[in-house]
Amino acid sequence: MRVLSSNMDKTAPDPTVAAITGQMELSVRDAAASVLVALLFGFLVRRWVKRTPRVMARDTRRGHRWSHTGMFSQPSYCNICESLLMTSRGAFCDACGVCACPTCVRPANKQLTCKAVTSREASHKHHWVQGNLPFDSTCEVCDSSVGDSPELTGQRCCWCHRTIHDQCRKNISEVCDLGEFSQYIVPPTCVKVRATTTVPRRLTVAQVSRPATSTGAGADKPWTPLIVLGNRKSGSTDAEQVLSAFRRYLNPAQVVDLGDQRPEDGLEWCHLVGPERCRVLVAGGDGTVDWVLNAIENLKLQPPPAVGILPLGTGNDLSRVLGSGEAYVEVDPEQVLRRLQRAEVINVDRWLVRGWSLNRP
Ligand SMILES: [Zn+2]
Ligand SMILES: [Zn+2]
Ligand SMILES: [Zn+2]
Ligand SMILES: [Zn+2]
C-alpha cells in the first residue's frame, strides 16, 4: 500500500494528484491480476475439459461430411443439378451418400439434410436419399430392380439401406427398423447431445437410452452397439476409407477417428451404453490395437468390451493369431458386420513384459 507524503513544498507533487495517481496504479494492478486469474482459470477449465473423456460428434445439421474425389466408382449424379459425375471432380457425403458437383456442394449443405446423430422424433424414420443406388438394387416394395436407369432415380435409406422406386415410397411405412445390422446401431432418437464450447461445429454425446424393440434390435438380437476406432493419420489412406465406409452403416458418432480424439473419448460410449453391451472394432495395426487395449485397461471398464480387429498395419500379429486376418483387403462393411455377428467372444490374457540389457553395468 502506498503512503502519501506530508511534504508540501513547491517541488512536491500535489497530494490530490498523487492520490489519484496512486488509485489509478492500484486499479491497473488489480485489473492485471484479475486478467491473470481469469486466464489461469480458463486454462485449467480447458485442461479439465480436454482430459475428461467424451464422445464428440460432428454437427450434421451444419452440412454434409464431404469426401472429394476425381473418380467415382460407379456412374453418379449430382443430387442438386443432376449432372453426371463419373469423369469429373465431385464430392460425396460419407455419412448419407449424397453426391454433389463442386458448384453444388454449398447448395447441397443447405437443401439436403445429412444423416442425423441425434433426433427428437418419437420414432426413427427412414431417411431417403435420391438416386446413385448400387447396380443390383431391388425395390423393397415391388421386388423389381431399381436404380438401373441412367438418371437420378430410386431412393435408398441411409440407415437401413433399403432401396425403393420413387413411386413406391407411398407404399412403405415411414418407420425405419435400421435393417439387418440394427443390433450395432445407436438410433438418433436414443441420443441426447449438448453443444461443445471448445470446438466449433461439434457436439458431445451426453446421454444414450436403449432403443424400443420396434426400432433397432428386437428380443432375438440383443442390442450391442458397435464403436469403430481408427486413425486416419496413421500413415495410410486405408483407415480413412474404413472409417468413411462405416459411417454409412452406423450412427456417424459411433465412428471415432483417433487422429482427432483419444481412444478414451471413443470408449466413453461404453459408459454411455454399458460396457457389457459395447462392441469395439479397431481398424489399424498392432500399435493402434495396443493403444486401444491400454485405454480399456486404464479406464477399468468392467466387464471389458469385446474387441474385434480389422487389420490395417504391416505386422498384424495379434489379428493373425486371433483369426481376424493378416492384411487389409478392400473392406465391405456388410461382410465385416456379418462376420462380427457370427464371431465368438473369447478371453485373452495380456502381459506386460519389462526387459533390460544384460550388458548393463
Ligand atoms: Zn451439381
Ligand atoms: Zn450427408
Ligand atoms: Zn430405413
Ligand atoms: Zn418399387
Side-chain angles (χ1 to χ4, degrees):
M1 190 174 164
R2 283 169 67 93
V3 178
L4 291 174
S5 167
S6 59
N7 185 352
M8 297 291 287
D9 66 27
K10 286 190 176 177
T11 57
D14 181 342
T16 315
V17 174
I20 292 169
T21 312
Q23 282 170 4
M24 281 179 69
E25 283 182 21
L26 271 175
S27 58
V28 167
R29 257 198 342 227
D30 288 350
S34 305
V35 168
L36 270 176
V37 168
L39 284 174
L40 183 65
F41 181 72
F43 171 75
L44 290 173
V45 166
R46 254 188 220 177
R47 227 175 114 156
W48 176 77
V49 167
K50 262 190 173 177
R51 284 193 170 184
T52 307
R54 59 199 175 137
V55 179
M56 303 266 280
R58 217 179 132 270
D59 188 352
T60 53
R61 293 167 301 184
R62 303 288 189 95
H64 297 272
R65 188 184 183 98
W66 296 110
S67 287
H68 294 268
T69 178
M71 184 65 74
F72 284 82
S73 57
Q74 66 171 69
S76 301
Y77 296 86
C78 172
N79 277 87
I80 298 293
C81 69
E82 302 193 13
S83 62
L84 180 64
L85 299 171
M86 182 70 181
T87 53
S88 58
R89 288 200 63 78
F92 62 92
C93 172
D94 68 6
C96 71
V98 156
C99 296
C101 66
T103 50
C104 291
V105 163
R106 276 191 160 195
N109 280 336
K110 288 187 178 155
Q111 295 173 31
L112 305 171
T113 53
C114 192
K115 200 173 180 180
V117 167
T118 181
S119 164
R120 291 186 180 170
E121 299 264 357
S123 62
H124 180 64
K125 295 184 177 142
H126 293 292
H127 178 154
W128 299 110
V129 176
Q130 186 75 34
N132 301 318
L133 311 186
F135 283 124
D136 55 351
S137 299
T138 304
C139 176
E140 181 71 17
V141 177
C142 66
D143 207 27
S144 58
S145 65
V146 58
D148 46 5
S149 54
E151 53 189 337
L152 195 69
T153 56
Q155 301 179 25
R156 172 160 64 162
C157 172
C158 61
W159 288 98
C160 66
H161 291 258
R162 290 189 175 93
T163 49
I164 53 168
H165 291 111
D166 298 332
Q167 66 273 21
C168 289
R169 183 164 165 179
K170 60 183 180 299
N171 296 324
I172 191 167
S173 160
E174 276 196 323
V175 175
C176 175
D177 65 0
L178 299 167
E180 181 183 352
F181 306 113
S182 59
Q183 72 189 99
Y184 293 129
I185 301 171
V186 181
T189 47
C190 297
V191 178
K192 286 204 171 111
V193 295
R194 59 170 175 263
T196 305
T197 49
T198 48
V199 189
R201 299 188 174 205
R202 292 276 164 162
L203 303 168
T204 300
V205 177
Q207 196 182 337
V208 177
S209 55
R210 281 201 66 182
T213 47
S214 58
T215 306
D220 57 325
K221 279 198 277 183
W223 186 55
T224 52
L226 179 71
I227 311 308
V228 180
L229 304 174
N231 184 1
R232 76 171 196 288
K233 294 179 182 169
S234 61
S236 80
T237 55
D238 297 343
E240 192 163 5
Q241 287 173 3
V242 169
L243 296 176
S244 175
F246 277 95
R247 279 188 199 102
R248 286 274 188 107
Y249 283 82
L250 305 173
N251 185 319
Q254 290 176 252
V255 180
V256 178
D257 187 344
L258 299 179
D260 298 328
Q261 299 185 65
R262 302 167 305 162
E264 287 82 356
D265 294 318
L267 292 168
E268 182 60 15
W269 273 111
C270 298
H271 284 132
L272 291 164
V273 302
E276 72 285 357
R277 294 187 186 289
C278 211
R279 298 284 182 270
V280 176
L281 180 66
V282 185
D286 288 330
T288 308
V289 175
D290 199 41
W291 192 18
V292 174
L293 293 180
N294 283 340
I296 289 173
E297 193 163 323
N298 293 340
L299 290 170
K300 301 190 184 346
L301 293 172
Q302 285 302 330
V307 178
I309 303 170
L310 198 58
L312 299 185
T314 47
N316 299 319
D317 292 332
L318 185 58
S319 170
R320 190 166 41 236
V321 168
L322 295 177
S324 300
E326 293 182 23
Y328 172 77
V329 281
E330 199 165 334
V331 170
D332 175 356
E334 293 193 6
Q335 278 186 23
V336 174
L337 293 171
R338 285 188 195 117
R339 281 183 67 188
L340 285 178
Q341 283 174 330
R342 295 192 302 269
E344 181 192 355
V345 178
I346 56 169
N347 290 319
V348 178
D349 289 328
R350 290 189 81 218
W351 297 81
L352 176 65
V353 179
R354 292 186 193 280
W356 63 89
S357 168
L358 291 174
N359 298 326
R360 196 172 58 170

